[in-house]
Amino acid sequence: MLQRDYTTSQLDVLEAEAIHIMREVAAEFERPCLLFSGGKDSIVMLRIAEKAFWPAPIPFPLMHVDTGHNFDEVIEFRDRRVQELGARLIVASVQASIDAGRVVEDTGRRASRNRLQTTTLLDAIEDHEFDAVFGGARRDEEKARAKERVFSFRDDFGQWDPKNQRPELWNLYNARIRKGEHIRVFPLSNWTELDVWDYIRREGIEIPSIYFAHTRKVFERDGMLLPDADVVHRGDDEPLIEAVVRYRTVGDMTCTGAVQSTAATVEEIIEEIAATRITERGATRADDRASEAAMEDRKREGYF
């Protein structure tokens, strides 16, 4: 007699949960959008959105908060993927916020536009009247995000207040908001970095080449390898070296470090991640090497 296996894998469970969350948002909110930077988490989130609404097109626009200091490989991938899907992409520019006097750019060796994204993001949410914003944050990334709800309530200033977060019982989500308020939605909350890579392998998802080992000129700062680029201010005491590296996470190049690695395939990356004991953001993000309280302050400001 033919035996059938009805076992549901861990990835199947995570995917089903994320699809349910996306469909719930599409049903409950009037103007959602999905943050898409071309990074691996947003790429996985985009694939889940495709599956959630197939064969219909994705029923909401994509948005990227662009610092202007991004890696060329990632921007090229972002634009090509959006064109393939025929999706609508909104680019919220930090440079435009600087030019308009909304924010003031940092100066000095450690200058970064990463924190400036908060104002640009909140302005874009207000301008387009978005009431729900999908983000790719995961609870395993660091302690401040581990406290986050799947439906994260933000007040009319875009701020996160832990006392105003709603209970989430099983898969029941509270989508009620007043005008001016919005919800940040995190479909990948229960995923880990390893889950993301396992899903990329299973689905055969294309990702930017920067995630694989390649030779690049870098310099060391605070134990991190930062890229040689016009927007990254390198000191005379920070000599350039040529190394074989890859990126575990991508973002503003002024605060995103590479890791030394020879992993050139998805399978090799999975083996590497399974053996490491350092989180991706702890290893590669200069702006995240802060106290838990400092990270929660950033959440309260409205960026996360």
Side-chain angles (χ1 to χ4, degrees):
M1 183 176 177
L2 182 63
Q3 296 269 329
R4 294 185 177 178
D5 184 5
Y6 293 102
T7 303
T8 303
S9 71
Q10 169 75 358
L11 284 183
D12 289 334
V13 171
L14 291 171
E15 181 189 64
E17 178 189 50
I19 287 175
H20 166 71
I21 291 167
M22 288 204 167
R23 289 174 174 170
E24 185 77 6
V25 169
E28 293 281 352
F29 293 92
E30 294 183 5
R31 299 176 67 89
C33 80
L34 186 150
L35 294 178
F36 180 66
S37 64
K40 68 181 187 308
D41 297 314
S42 64
I43 291 170
V44 166
M45 199 164 52
L46 190 60
R47 170 57 63 89
I48 290 170
E50 287 184 82
K51 285 191 170 188
F53 305 105
W54 181 263
I58 297 172
F60 38 74
L62 314 181
M63 181 166 69
H64 181 206
V65 181
D66 186 359
T67 66
H69 294 170
N70 296 288
F71 293 95
D72 292 339
E73 301 94 326
V74 179
I75 295 300
E76 184 277 328
F77 177 88
R78 179 202 72 182
D79 293 341
R80 177 162 50 84
R81 190 73 185 98
V82 169
Q83 186 174 22
E84 290 170 354
L85 288 173
R88 176 189 171 205
L89 175 66
I90 298 168
V91 177
S93 169
V94 172
Q95 182 62 55
S97 296
I98 295 170
D99 294 342
R102 293 284 294 145
V103 292
V104 177
E105 187 164 17
D106 294 336
T107 58
R109 180 187 295 192
R110 298 176 184 273
S112 173
R113 291 183 173 184
N114 203 47
R115 290 183 66 94
L116 306 184
Q117 293 180 90
T118 300
T119 299
T120 305
L121 172 61
L122 294 179
D123 285 349
I125 291 173
E126 182 177 0
D127 291 344
H128 295 279
E129 298 182 339
F130 292 132
D131 51 5
V133 180
F134 289 106
R138 308 187 318 268
R139 287 173 176 154
D140 74 319
E141 292 181 279
E142 41 85 17
K143 291 181 179 179
R145 290 187 173 181
K147 299 177 181 179
E148 192 66 88
R149 299 283 199 272
V150 174
F151 274 37
S152 177
F153 172 76
R154 305 301 169 103
D155 63 22
D156 49 1
F157 293 102
Q159 296 175 323
W160 176 83
D161 183 351
K163 295 180 180 179
N164 285 333
Q165 300 307 304
R166 289 88 178 266
E168 290 184 346
L169 305 177
W170 303 288
N171 60 350
L172 302 177
Y173 304 108
N174 187 340
R176 293 185 178 181
I177 58 172
R178 293 176 295 187
K179 187 173 179 59
E181 300 169 342
H182 72 277
I183 299 287
R184 303 283 176 87
V185 185
F186 303 111
L188 307 185
S189 286
N190 294 324
W191 297 50
T192 65
E193 182 185 11
L194 192 57
D195 291 328
V196 169
W197 281 106
D198 278 336
Y199 191 77
I200 288 171
R201 175 174 62 179
R202 189 186 82 172
E203 298 290 310
I205 300 173
E206 182 186 1
I207 56 173
S209 60
I210 199 170
Y211 281 107
F212 300 106
H214 58 283
T215 301
R216 182 181 291 263
K217 289 184 178 180
V218 295
F219 64 92
E220 184 173 349
R221 176 182 293 168
D222 299 333
M224 295 177 56
L225 297 176
L226 296 179
D228 178 31
D230 293 340
V231 298
V232 182
H233 304 297
R234 180 173 61 90
D236 294 335
D237 57 341
E238 296 173 320
L240 279 178
I241 60 173
E242 196 169 81
V244 178
V245 300
R246 73 175 193 87
Y247 284 85
R248 286 178 69 182
T249 185
V250 297
D252 189 299
M253 66 174 67
T254 61
C255 59
T256 303
V259 295
Q260 290 187 310
S261 171
T262 58
T265 66
V266 172
E267 288 75 16
E268 290 174 349
I269 290 174
I270 289 173
E271 290 178 8
E272 182 181 271
I273 293 170
T276 189
R277 292 295 176 265
I278 303 175
T279 65
E280 62 179 296
R281 300 188 75 84
T284 63
R285 292 300 293 270
D287 58 324
D288 285 351
R289 292 187 168 187
S291 68
E292 180 184 354
M295 296 304 295
E296 290 209 11
D297 285 344
R298 290 186 64 192
K299 285 168 61 67
R300 291 174 191 273
E301 290 171 2
Y303 180 62
F304 286 109

